[in-house]
Amino acid sequence: AQKVTQAQTEISVVEKEDVTLDCVYETRDTTYYLFWYKQPPSGELVFLIRRNSFDEQNEISGRYSWNFQKSTSSFNFTITASQVVDSAVYFCALSPQGGSEKLVFGKGTKLTVNP
Amino acid sequence: GAVVSQHPSWVICKSGTSVKIECRSLDFQATTMFWYRQFPKQSLMLMATSNEGSKATYEQGVEKDKFLINHASLTLSTLTVTSAHPEDSSFYICSAPVAGWTEAFFGQGTRLTVV
């Protein structure tokens, strides 16, 4: 069975602080895909990143960076110099096999960035 | 990217009535559509997978007679909540995988409130 754990339910930071959102996953598949989505108050899901299990390189996209470590089954997400617009619920998700198959979501981390 | 259009964005209905939610793929053919449900402050949980021209596959614990899914064409999948009750109040969102893309595309979501 697949499982995604986001232990941090809510995080509150002050603007310009760095913040890391944790994600730990469980799967028996050797091939799998990990995702991060942002859900602003309006509800829609905004795709942030996809990573497959064979690519452990960290990725940076602007203020966002991701640290994938298979040894600890973690796929953490860091926002550098946070901004108020980053306030949202962030979901980590796992796709059992295909890159566009159904997703298993974590419970989400609500990030509040205060001015 | 591809566009999945979901309607309505929000709906309020009386207990006992039925509500239909539509998801349309605007610029691609969706042979598969995933339907998720998100209760307040909870994660997204897969309800069912609809396939064009065949019966939907429901996840364990989801009542197929209550949540009717129709995927009669390659561009439209519908979810009908029959005899809705207050406990069905939730955020419903669809997603569709697209050939050649690494992630599924989500609709905007529908917030259902049953009073």
Side-chain angles (χ1 to χ4, degrees), chain A:
Chain A
Q2 293 81 25
K3 184 180 179 181
V4 176
T5 301
Q6 294 179 256
Q8 304 149 309
T9 305
E10 293 191 39
I11 299 177
S12 182
V13 300
V14 177
E15 207 169 17
K16 297 185 182 179
E17 286 185 16
D18 299 345
V19 58
T20 295
L21 309 182
D22 298 332
C23 173
V24 175
Y25 63 92
E26 296 176 29
T27 181
R28 293 181 180 178
D29 296 324
T30 54
T31 301
Y32 53 89
Y33 296 80
L34 296 164
F35 300 79
W36 275 95
Y37 284 89
K38 174 182 180 180
Q39 186 179 45
S42 53
E44 78 272 20
L45 286 176
V46 179
F47 168 79
L48 296 178
I49 191 172
R50 165 193 179 269
R51 172 67 74 225
N52 73 54
S53 53
F54 297 107
D55 183 2
E56 288 193 70
Q57 282 192 343
N58 293 330
E59 179 150 344
I60 298 174
S61 177
R63 296 184 297 107
Y64 296 168
S65 62
W66 291 268
N67 185 333
F68 176 32
Q69 293 194 351
K70 287 182 72 172
S71 60
T72 56
S73 297
S74 65
F75 187 43
N76 296 337
F77 172 34
T78 297
I79 301 175
T80 303
S82 60
Q83 299 176 2
V84 173
V85 293
D86 295 327
S87 297
V89 179
Y90 290 86
F91 289 99
C92 180
L94 171 69
S95 175
Q97 292 182 340
S100 57
E101 296 293 321
K102 56 186 177 182
L103 298 172
V104 175
F105 285 88
K107 292 190 175 181
T109 298
K110 181 179 180 180
L111 173 66
T112 302
V113 182
N114 298 298

Side-chain angles (χ1 to χ4, degrees), chain B:
Chain B
V3 178
V4 176
S5 179
Q6 184 173 346
H7 293 281
S9 299
W10 59 271
V11 58
I12 301 174
C13 70
K14 290 185 177 181
S15 186
T17 61
S18 295
V19 174
K20 180 185 285 187
I21 301 170
E22 294 187 348
C23 271
R24 295 181 183 273
S25 55
L26 298 186
D27 49 3
F28 66 99
Q29 293 182 330
T31 56
T32 299
M33 193 78 78
F34 300 111
W35 287 94
Y36 295 85
R37 177 170 56 184
Q38 183 184 26
F39 290 112
K41 298 186 179 182
Q42 298 294 317
S43 185
L44 293 94
M45 299 295 290
L46 181 69
M47 295 177 64
T49 302
S50 74
N51 297 290
E52 187 269 334
S54 64
K55 290 184 178 181
T57 303
Y58 290 82
E59 296 298 304
Q60 192 173 9
V62 177
E63 301 174 59
K64 61 180 181 181
D65 294 331
K66 181 172 183 62
F67 299 98
L68 301 180
I69 291 175
N70 185 287
H71 197 151
S73 79
L74 288 171
T75 59
L76 175 64
S77 177
T78 62
L79 167 67
T80 302
V81 183
T82 62
S83 187
H85 291 285
E87 57 264 31
D88 298 322
S89 298
S90 186
F91 185 71
Y92 295 86
I93 192 167
C94 61
S95 78
V98 182
W101 287 86
T102 59
E103 80 276 8
F105 289 86
F106 283 85
Q108 300 92 327
T110 298
R111 198 167 301 278
L112 170 64
T113 302
V114 184
V115 298

